[in-house]
Amino acid sequence: MAALMQKSALTRPAVASNAGRRAVVVRAAADRKLWAPGVVAPDHLKGELAGDYGWDPLGLGADPVALRWYRQSELVHARWAMLGVAGVLVQEVVKPDVYFYEAGLPQNLPEPFTNINMGGLLAWEFILMHWVEVRRWQDYKNFGSVNEDPIFKGNKVPNPEMGYPGGIFDPLGFSKGNLKELQTKEIKNGRLAMIAYMGFVLQAQATGKGPLAALSAHLSNPFGNNILKNIGTCTVPHSVNVQGLEIPLTCLWPGQQ
């Protein structure tokens, strides 16, 4: 009997300790911001990544290796989308008479680029982007392996975290402050930009107008110019001829070309 009491006394602190740990976990989960009130985040989303609100209904990030790559992919697409959205809006403000879908055609480019060979430009873009993406893949496979400039040896970036090289890419030194907060702001704005850019594209295909022109048309006649009225409409031609090269086009919006 005495032995049983002694064993009970020895195991009681362990039970209390486990209960205490569970309480800490529960409090941490309660303090974490999730995508909806009362939802439970998947086990593989622990809130460590910037912008992690526990949203992964298909479980795509359950594999840690895949999750790491998805984060890098999302980050790159988010940055391109922010540049694209800003470019579309600025172009429409500066040259409202040029439709952003046609802004890249040679005749709409500023001097001295009106006579540029689009095939040669495409080839150079493919080569350079391929080189950059291979370098990014190498950094993903072996983090820090491409920190040094391949041409000017001795020049390196600090690269404290994958996807955030720092150094000359952070001239104002923002990363020296609350980096996690800035990362969260960036990915949130990037996600919004990705949705916005897809909206720009679908809207342009349905109306043949840029985002500001379409917004102006909607505000002038909300009931006549809206998404319901544009369903089934597609202004994109079947193809476009650029310097003798016939490029087929398609419409993402469900409608007839």
Side-chain angles (χ1 to χ4, degrees):
M1 185 69 178
L4 290 175
M5 292 178 64
Q6 183 179 11
K7 183 178 180 181
S8 176
L10 290 173
T11 57
R12 194 176 299 117
V15 173
S17 178
N18 290 336
R21 282 196 293 268
R22 285 196 297 270
V24 170
V25 172
V26 170
R27 283 197 298 272
D31 295 337
R32 179 182 169 190
K33 292 182 179 179
L34 296 175
W35 64 274
V39 299
V40 178
D43 293 338
H44 58 275
L45 296 180
K46 307 180 186 302
E48 299 169 349
L49 296 172
D52 174 11
Y53 295 100
W55 170 259
D56 187 14
L58 300 180
L60 299 177
D63 180 358
V65 176
L67 178 61
R68 192 160 56 110
W69 177 248
Y70 290 149
R71 166 38 54 103
Q72 297 307 307
S73 299
E74 181 186 34
L75 193 57
V76 169
H77 283 83
R79 289 169 177 170
W80 277 116
M82 287 188 282
L83 287 173
V85 167
V88 169
L89 294 175
V90 170
Q91 181 269 320
E92 190 170 356
V93 170
V94 175
K95 284 194 171 184
D97 56 318
V98 178
Y99 177 36
F100 88 88
Y101 238 63
E102 302 172 348
L105 294 176
Q107 61 267 29
N108 291 326
L109 296 176
E111 294 289 350
F113 303 107
T114 52
N115 296 320
I116 192 171
N117 184 295
M118 299 300 286
L121 176 62
L122 179 62
W124 272 109
E125 285 182 349
F126 178 82
I127 293 171
L128 294 176
M129 290 300 295
H130 176 72
W131 181 77
V132 170
E133 284 300 296
V134 168
R135 298 277 292 181
R136 191 166 69 88
W137 173 255
Q138 290 173 335
D139 189 56
Y140 166 74
K141 296 296 288 184
N142 185 14
F143 179 57
S145 62
V146 295
N147 287 355
E148 185 177 23
D149 193 309
I151 300 175
F152 303 100
K153 301 295 183 179
N155 294 326
K156 297 182 179 180
V157 291
N159 202 15
E161 187 176 335
M162 190 180 299
Y164 303 92
I168 60 173
F169 298 99
D170 184 22
L172 301 179
F174 288 133
S175 60
K176 296 177 182 178
N178 189 338
L179 182 59
K180 183 65 175 291
E181 180 182 355
L182 295 176
Q183 290 173 337
T184 301
K185 289 180 179 179
E186 179 189 36
I187 200 65
K188 288 169 70 174
N189 281 280
R191 289 167 178 169
L192 182 61
M194 287 188 282
I195 295 173
Y197 189 78
M198 284 306 302
F200 287 1
V201 171
L202 292 174
Q203 183 175 253
Q205 291 184 349
T207 65
K209 299 178 181 179
L212 298 181
L215 176 62
S216 177
H218 172 70
L219 294 177
S220 64
N221 184 9
F223 297 103
N225 298 311
N226 55 60
I227 188 173
L228 296 178
K229 294 290 184 179
N230 293 324
I231 290 179
T233 303
C234 182
T235 63
V236 177
H238 290 282
S239 64
V240 61
N241 188 289
V242 180
Q243 296 179 340
L245 180 63
E246 197 73 19
I247 302 175
L249 301 177
T250 186
C251 194
L252 301 177
W253 184 263
Q256 297 296 322
Q257 287 182 275

